[in-house]
Amino acid sequence: MSNIRVRYPPSPTGEPHLGNIRTALFNWLFAKNNKGKFILRVEDTDRNRLVEGAMESQLEALKWLGIDWDEGPDIGGAYKPYTQSERLDIYKKISDRLIQDGFAYKCYCSQERLAQMREGYKKTQSIVGYDRKCRNINSLELGEINNEKSYVVRFKTPLEGKIIFNDLVRGQVEFENIRLDDFVILKSDGFPTYHLANVIDDYYMKITHVMRAEEWLSSTPKHIHIYNSMNWEIPEFAHLPIILAPDKSKLSKRHGATSILEYRRLGYLPNAMVNFLAKLGWSLDGETEKIETSELISNFSLKKVSKSGAIFDIDKLNWLNGVYIRGLTADELTFELLDYWKIFPSLELPVNIDYDLLKRIVPLISERIKTLNDAGPLISYFFSDTVKYKKEQILQKGLNFSDVNIILEKLYSEVIAIDDFESNVIETNLRNFVSESNYKTGQVLGILRVIYTGLDVAPPLFESMEILGKKHCVSVISRAIDNMKSS
Ligand code: GLU
């Protein structure tokens, strides 16, 4: 067991995003690859943005994808609690200490004053940030300030020099201190800001590698300042590339779902999703697309994480999911589908589906579906005695209704005469029938396809007929004949 410890600390502010879970996955793969620990933490200090049920969604998404954690809010661990709102004492203690040691100060500026200040910046178009009024308040003035008055605690960022650090993905990164602002570390409600809580927790939870999305890069110098002022060892940092749409714009709903749970609802397989997410910014060799989770674990390395934005390509995900579906045995796909419909019932199918029947059906569709959700409409005819179709559908190219009548009558006697109702026998008989008739294969089989399935493009006909059974097949033809007559 190595000492490597990484963390995934979501803020429960909504459904887990593709980008969030990609970050979780990279951390998890890194931990597994290094035989380290993966820690889950709840960063719920921004009380205004909390969304009820958001953390449950995070856990659900991780569990669905098989991303497990060694320590976390639900299972505890040596450094509990793992929920920031339960750690307020620690943050207050460190904030006090930073004030005492001269690294931070109380700021009493009112919201109105700060708003005025920002307005002024707008006019002069100068750098937006706190003007440091309270930083230089002398002790005499401090005494005058009513202790009851609300305040925030700000970090006293050095006014010169710079922070230089080595990012494991981006190499050497530099930030000028003068550009950093005296950022708030403790808010007036007594809650820490992200910066303070994040650093304190990473330190106390003995995190060795901080791997997070690129958008947090500009926070890192602030964090390093806090580490330095506390004399704490600084962890390694790795900022993961942003995820972009194919046109390199910001990924949004119009490029496909952004919530990971939406992909579950849409019928993607968890291992296909893991494979797809792993390739958003990481690659094995620049070409291999299908990489099973075990291979991802054994090959994952930060050296192969790219600096440039990762392109989210829904077509690739659909293709990859199809590859994973085709890689399943009939038993596995049957299980997957039944599990899926248990959570997301299909409108086209009955509630209880017989396992053995479904297992006979799945080989007919595994080549034809890209997601589990595609299966319902494609196989509903196996579960319905009266498939609906329009009369025009039955009218195959080059035929008129009287042709269709004739064909149906003949098919009735053909099908009823087949004793051994197996797909290959059915096929031989029907093909012989076609070749001896004046009609084309497509016309005759097209009629059967429509009356049995109601679909214009359907799973293989003869295999379907075998599964539907002779009795059903005969009665459907006879009903079709009646329908033709009745109109
Ligand atoms: N709570 C932050 C988020 O929601 C965590 C950022 C970090 O990993 O430091 O993304």
Side-chain angles (χ1 to χ4, degrees):
M1 212 31 79
S2 76
N3 292 327
I4 285 189
R5 292 173 59 81
V6 293
R7 82 308 190 258
Y8 172 56
S11 300
T13 53
E15 283 222 343
H17 217 245
L18 273 179
N20 297 141
I21 301 296
R22 193 275 314 255
T23 298
L25 177 65
F26 278 28
N27 276 281
W28 182 78
L29 291 173
F30 184 76
K32 292 275 172 208
N33 177 275
N34 286 288
K35 306 209 166 12
K37 295 264 194 263
F38 175 70
I39 288 113
L40 184 63
R41 185 167 78 214
V42 187
E43 297 207 331
D44 59 348
T45 57
D46 193 346
R47 309 307 285 171
N48 298 325
R49 292 181 59 223
L50 293 189
V51 169
E52 211 180 313
M55 202 55 207
E56 286 73 15
S57 304
Q58 289 278 352
L59 302 196
E60 191 184 331
L62 295 173
K63 281 184 191 157
W64 172 54
L65 295 172
I67 301 176
D68 54 350
W69 48 98
D70 300 292
E71 296 163 30
D74 54 338
I75 52 171
Y79 305 100
K80 68 171 196 242
Y82 291 86
T83 299
Q84 292 188 328
S85 57
E86 295 166 20
R87 300 170 62 81
L88 298 185
D89 292 352
I90 311 174
Y91 310 130
K92 174 79 170 77
K93 200 177 90 195
I94 302 292
S95 164
D96 286 347
R97 181 148 153 224
L98 288 172
I99 297 175
Q100 219 170 50
D101 294 352
F103 290 109
Y105 60 93
K106 291 180 182 174
C107 168
Y108 295 92
C109 290
S110 64
Q111 287 304 326
E112 295 73 45
R113 177 173 186 275
L114 295 175
Q116 267 170 15
M117 183 191 77
R118 280 190 285 266
E119 272 306 305
Y121 285 149
K122 260 193 222 154
K123 283 191 196 117
T124 57
Q125 298 200 323
S126 47
I127 298 172
V128 180
Y130 177 57
D131 62 5
R132 302 192 161 100
K133 178 172 186 264
C134 294
R135 174 173 172 135
N136 303 313
I137 262 176
N138 62 40
S139 46
L140 202 73
E141 281 172 278
L142 260 183
E144 285 166 13
I145 288 170
N146 180 351
N147 268 344
E148 298 293 302
K149 198 172 165 190
S150 94
Y151 65 86
V152 300
V153 178
R154 289 183 183 274
F155 192 82
K156 203 184 270 183
T157 309
L159 300 176
E160 26 188 67
K162 49 182 151 181
I163 288 285
I164 304 176
F165 63 95
N166 179 51
D167 185 280
L168 295 175
V169 172
R170 327 189 74 77
Q172 185 167 307
V173 185
E174 293 188 19
F175 285 90
E176 301 271 353
N177 285 334
I178 193 66
R179 300 192 171 274
L180 290 184
D181 198 10
D182 281 1
F183 54 96
V184 175
I185 55 174
L186 198 77
K187 295 177 277 186
S188 54
D189 60 2
F191 276 79
T193 56
Y194 155 71
H195 302 301
L196 184 70
N198 192 270
V199 167
I200 292 177
D201 289 352
D202 284 348
Y203 172 74
Y204 281 115
M205 294 177 185
K206 296 200 166 31
I207 300 303
T208 56
H209 294 71
V210 169
M211 239 173 275
R212 61 185 165 207
E214 190 180 319
E215 60 182 293
W216 299 105
L217 185 65
S218 60
S219 296
T220 305
K222 300 178 183 175
H223 298 182
I224 292 178
H225 275 304
I226 301 177
Y227 282 107
N228 285 341
S229 51
M230 290 302 296
N231 229 343
W232 286 343
E233 196 183 329
I234 300 170
E236 299 280 0
F237 291 102
H239 288 88
L240 309 174
I242 192 163
I243 302 176
L244 298 170
D247 62 1
K248 305 248 167 91
S249 65
K250 191 170 180 280
L251 193 61
S252 71
K253 286 230 161 61
R254 91 193 138 88
H255 304 110
T258 48
S259 156
I260 197 86
L261 291 173
E262 188 59 25
Y263 287 91
R264 183 187 197 191
R265 287 189 276 275
L266 291 169
Y268 291 90
L269 295 176
N271 49 353
M273 206 67 212
V274 161
N275 186 158
F276 177 74
L277 290 173
K279 293 219 60 216
L280 288 177
W282 173 87
S283 101
L284 179 63
D285 50 16
E287 49 189 79
T288 313
E289 293 293 352
K290 185 180 185 228
I291 315 167
E292 298 277 358
T293 307
S294 57
E295 291 173 78
L296 291 172
I297 290 175
S298 53
N299 288 289
F300 188 81
S301 137
L302 284 173
K303 289 199 187 75
K304 291 184 193 155
V305 173
S306 76
K307 266 190 248 183
S308 50
I311 305 288
F312 168 87
D313 180 354
I314 188 78
D315 294 333
K316 188 176 272 184
L317 172 60
N318 287 333
W319 169 81
L320 195 60
N321 205 54
V323 171
Y324 274 87
I325 285 180
R326 291 193 290 282
L328 297 176
T329 63
D331 270 312
E332 286 166 342
L333 183 51
T334 305
F335 268 124
E336 288 288 350
L337 285 168
L338 290 174
D339 265 4
Y340 173 71
W341 291 324
K342 224 182 272 162
I343 312 172
F344 308 109
S346 166
L347 295 176
E348 292 88 0
L349 300 175
V351 181
N352 291 315
I353 290 181
D354 181 64
Y355 182 91
D356 293 318
L357 172 58
L358 183 61
K359 191 182 156 187
R360 290 178 70 201
I361 296 171
V362 296
L364 309 189
I365 58 162
S366 63
E367 299 281 335
R368 291 172 167 74
I369 56 173
K370 292 228 157 40
T371 65
L372 300 177
N373 192 37
D374 290 343
L378 210 53
I379 65 167
S380 62
Y381 63 91
F382 286 106
F383 304 93
S384 161
D385 284 335
T386 49
V387 163
K388 290 202 176 51
Y389 52 87
K390 293 202 190 75
K391 253 189 157 181
E392 303 73 61
Q393 269 179 288
I394 221 177
L395 208 56
Q396 299 295 307
K397 218 168 151 202
L399 298 182
N400 58 33
F401 281 116
S402 102
D403 293 323
V404 173
N405 269 325
I406 296 169
I407 295 174
L408 280 170
E409 299 275 4
K410 292 193 168 163
L411 279 173
Y412 181 83
S413 6
E414 277 302 319
V415 172
I416 210 165
I418 304 173
D419 285 330
D420 217 353
F421 216 69
E422 279 173 13
S423 62
N424 50 350
V425 181
I426 302 171
E427 175 162 11
T428 314
N429 277 272
L430 292 182
R431 287 199 190 280
N432 285 343
F433 160 71
V434 173
S435 61
E436 284 160 18
S437 76
N438 299 325
Y439 301 107
K440 296 199 183 100
T441 314
Q443 294 172 326
V444 175
L445 302 187
I447 293 176
L448 286 177
R449 189 193 65 243
V450 170
I451 63 172
Y452 288 139
T453 71
L455 302 169
D456 294 324
V457 181
L461 177 66
F462 308 117
E463 283 85 348
S464 293
M465 287 176 72
E466 177 182 326
I467 296 172
L468 289 167
K470 180 169 171 178
K471 201 166 143 226
H472 176 94
C473 289
V474 170
S475 76
V476 168
I477 302 181
S478 118
R479 206 165 41 240
I481 294 171
D482 291 347
N483 287 347
M484 294 297 288
K485 283 189 190 133
S486 69
S487 50

